[in-house]
């Protein structure tokens, strides 16, 4: 995905969030975070947790604590050199989109294994939360069927 495609995709997500907030009246919460999980600015309702992977200082995972009725979108502020990985909880077989981390993109022409042993990228990011229930109720009410 090139820079133009990333900007277009990101703009589409922001348009959806704006639609939820302004047209539907749904509560949207957001926060701006440093790479270490420290909140710079934003909603006090978003409590971010950063946990090291098995005690390895160079690999950590983020998740938003509580607020199960919200879905969270996250965006690295410099996304041109990073890739998002999803975490798999201990004892689970499938990745869980609630847990994520960003790693650097591998160098071109490099063969890489299928694991997540890359160290994290230090990238600041934004988290945006919305209630999918609000969006579904809007479409249900406006449906003629």
């Amino acid at each position: 995905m090139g820079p133009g495609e990333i900007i277009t995709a990101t703009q589409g997500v922001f348009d959806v969030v704006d639609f939820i907030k302004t047209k539907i009246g749904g509560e949207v919460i957001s926060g701006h975070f440093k790479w270490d999980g420290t909140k710079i600015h934003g909603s006090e309702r978003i409590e971010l947790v950063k946990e090291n992977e098995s005690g390895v200082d160079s690999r950590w995972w983020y998740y938003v604590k509580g607020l199960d009725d919200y879905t969270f979108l996250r965006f690295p502020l410099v996304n041109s050199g990073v890739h998002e990985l999803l975490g798999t909880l201990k004892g689970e077989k499938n990745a869980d989109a609630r847990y994520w981390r960003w790693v650097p993109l591998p160098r071109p022409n490099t063969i890489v294994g299928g694991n997540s042993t890359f160290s994290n990228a230090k990238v600041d990011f934004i988290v945006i939360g919305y209630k999918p229930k609000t969006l579904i109720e809007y479409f249900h009410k406006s449906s003629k069927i």
Side-chain angles (χ1 to χ4, degrees), residues 7-107:
I7 291 169
T8 302
T10 303
Q11 182 59 49
V13 170
F14 287 135
D15 288 344
V16 168
V17 171
D18 184 56
F19 175 78
I20 292 168
K21 187 174 183 176
T22 60
K23 302 287 191 245
I24 299 175
E27 184 180 0
V28 175
I29 57 177
S30 61
H32 175 197
F33 296 87
K34 296 275 305 157
W35 67 268
D36 65 0
T38 305
K39 187 181 303 173
I40 296 171
H41 179 71
S43 173
E44 293 302 318
R45 297 188 63 204
I46 298 178
E47 185 178 343
L48 189 78
V49 178
K50 175 184 165 267
E51 289 186 7
N52 284 358
E53 181 180 289
S54 302
V56 179
D57 290 342
S58 65
R59 293 194 307 262
W60 58 85
W61 296 90
Y62 304 105
Y63 67 93
V64 178
K65 187 175 178 181
L67 298 176
D68 291 334
D69 53 340
Y70 277 84
T71 293
F72 293 95
L73 309 171
R74 59 263 176 173
F75 303 94
L77 293 179
V78 178
N79 61 6
S80 57
V82 297
H83 176 73
E84 182 178 282
L85 298 178
L86 298 180
T88 303
L89 296 172
K90 190 173 189 173
E92 296 282 328
K93 293 183 180 182
N94 300 91
D96 188 327
R98 294 175 298 171
Y99 304 89
W100 79 95
R101 70 189 192 106
W102 287 291
V103 297
L105 293 173
R107 290 190 331 257

Side-chain angles (χ1 to χ4, degrees), residues 53 59 62 95 105 110 112 120 135 143:
E53 181 180 289
R59 293 194 307 262
Y62 304 105
L105 293 173
T110 303
V112 210
N120 278 59
L135 187 60
S143 173

